[in-house]
Amino acid sequence: MRPTSPALVGALALTTAAAVLPLAASAPAAADGVIIGGQPVTVGDSPWVVAVASRGLFGDSRSGQYCGAVVVGRTKVVTAAHCMSREVLGMEGSSVPDLKVIAGRSDLGGDAGREIKVRKVAVNPDYDTATNAGDVAVLTLAQALPAGHVLPMAGKGSSAYEPGTEATVYGWGDTTGNSTYASRLHSANVRVLEDGVCEEAYPGTLDGRYEADSMVCAGRPGGGHDACQGDSGGPLVAHGRVIGLVSWGSGCGEAGRPGVYTRISSFADFVDEA
Ligand code: ARG
């Protein structure tokens, strides 16, 4: 299926992603800011946050950004598996001719930093589209980033996963729950929540099913601070390490509907070997 215009492709992709992880059905979150309940930040302060982009599929206005990602090695970037999917792209990520990672650009309307070609795409073979478990993919860059861009991954058993830990999520995604895509990078402060909160919120619906061994539950008990569409693949950071990747949730920032993140420590072997 060849879409007729880049704008349509973008709209189509986002609608489809929203169908997998429904947004349309729920009311827009009452957001006081951005990402949801966040604030603008710069990649100068967080150089490991990068954008995943295809100008061919998503247009030039926001540099073609459609997902987030995090730099875990000088040529290694981790994002969500669903960001490489046919549902989002209309083809496999490995088939997108102009798939790029954009580093050093806080404002997608500008041309700061650089756009680096993706040399290889490795999607977790165990990614389960029914539950959303294992939502991780590794992009190998054609050129190396400076060592200062690299953020280490939290290991299994890291105290950063303890409920109550303050964490920060980053992205260029929807800031209102109403398809208001940010031009500037934003971050929101959330907390790691007890697995039980997400087990109760997501016992297994069309949205997915919360699985504590491969996912992290984060947000605020009352909602209001969250990731949203377009933030997927971006990092959840605590104690100076990446602990999760934006994966899914019902709506954005709603009370009782926390964000669900890929538990990166559970996929260390896959990431190291990719
Ligand atoms: N699936 C979305 C994306 O592709 C991310 C959704 C995250 N939602 C949330 N409420 N935390 O960008």
Side-chain angles (χ1 to χ4, degrees), residues 216-250:
V216 183
C217 184
R220 295 279 186 91
H225 298 245
D226 195 7
C228 198
Q229 315 311 323
D231 290 322
S232 278
L236 179 68
V237 176
H239 297 182
R241 293 179 179 250
V242 52
I243 64 170
L245 305 171
V246 176
S247 180
W248 63 286
S250 282

Side-chain angles (χ1 to χ4, degrees), residues 6 10-11 14 35 50-68 100-102 105-111 115 171-175 179-186 228-232:
L14 291 160
I35 217 181
V50 292
V52 184
S54 162
R55 290 172 183 270
L57 291 178
F58 298 97
D60 282 318
S61 62
R62 296 173 62 262
S63 298
Q65 185 273 348
Y66 70 98
C67 270
K100 302 246 167 85
V101 160
I102 306 180
R105 184 173 303 166
S106 304
D107 186 341
L108 297 171
D111 61 0
E115 300 189 8
W172 286 271
D174 189 351
T175 58
S179 301
T180 313
Y181 290 90
S183 174
R184 295 174 61 195
L185 179 64
H186 288 85
C228 198
Q229 315 311 323
D231 290 322
S232 278

